[in-house]
Amino acid sequence: MYFKNLIKCFLTSLILILTLSLVVSMLNYFNVLSDNITNVFEFIILAISLFVGSFALGRKSKTKGFLEGLKFSGIFIFIFFIFNLILKLGFNIDTFITYIIVILSSLFGSVIGINRK
């Protein structure tokens, strides 16, 4: 049951990331948004999507929302790390900031989610 909830919340976050990224890409393609704003939206989309997914996971868990948020962020960080290795992007300060955003947004989402039952 727990694994099923985790997969549902993971897919919710992933679909939200893909949908919002598609919208921002379309706006950037038609020159509605500049490149600088698009880069900022990358972090905002990631934070909002992971917050929503971990919020849903926190609502479904029974105790210790911060641990659920750490597990959830660990999954995403592992996936991002594998993509970085496959694409040979390396590790820089932007990657580190992205990992911190992933951890914090999923921690806050799951803690708030467990308190909103």
Side-chain angles (χ1 to χ4, degrees), residues 1-10 12 52-63 65 68 109-110 112-117:
M1 187 68 178
Y2 172 74
F3 189 68
K4 185 178 176 183
N5 289 336
L6 187 65
I7 294 295
K8 277 185 184 179
C9 296
F10 176 78
T12 301
V52 168
S54 61
F55 181 83
L57 185 64
R59 286 184 60 101
K60 294 176 183 180
S61 65
K62 295 181 182 18
T63 59
E68 298 300 325
S110 61
I112 292 172
I114 204 161
N115 289 327
R116 294 284 180 181
K117 283 187 172 183

Side-chain angles (χ1 to χ4, degrees), residues 27-68:
L27 291 174
N28 187 22
Y29 180 76
F30 292 115
N31 293 326
V32 176
L33 297 176
S34 68
D35 290 334
N36 293 337
I37 295 174
T38 304
N39 291 335
V40 171
F41 271 120
E42 287 177 12
F43 289 115
I44 292 172
I45 288 170
L46 183 64
I48 289 172
S49 301
L50 290 175
F51 182 86
V52 168
S54 61
F55 181 83
L57 185 64
R59 286 184 60 101
K60 294 176 183 180
S61 65
K62 295 181 182 18
T63 59
K64 299 192 177 165
F66 66 94
L67 286 177
E68 298 300 325

Side-chain angles (χ1 to χ4, degrees), residues 56-104:
L57 185 64
R59 286 184 60 101
K60 294 176 183 180
S61 65
K62 295 181 182 18
T63 59
K64 299 192 177 165
F66 66 94
L67 286 177
E68 298 300 325
L70 282 176
K71 290 178 199 175
F72 195 70
S73 65
I75 292 170
F76 271 96
I77 288 175
F78 179 74
I79 291 170
F80 292 152
F81 185 72
I82 295 298
F83 279 138
N84 280 343
L85 288 178
I86 291 171
L87 299 176
K88 298 179 183 172
L89 297 175
F91 189 80
N92 54 20
I93 191 70
D94 291 338
T95 309
F96 182 72
I97 291 171
T98 303
Y99 291 162
I100 296 296
I101 288 172
V102 166
I103 291 170
L104 290 177

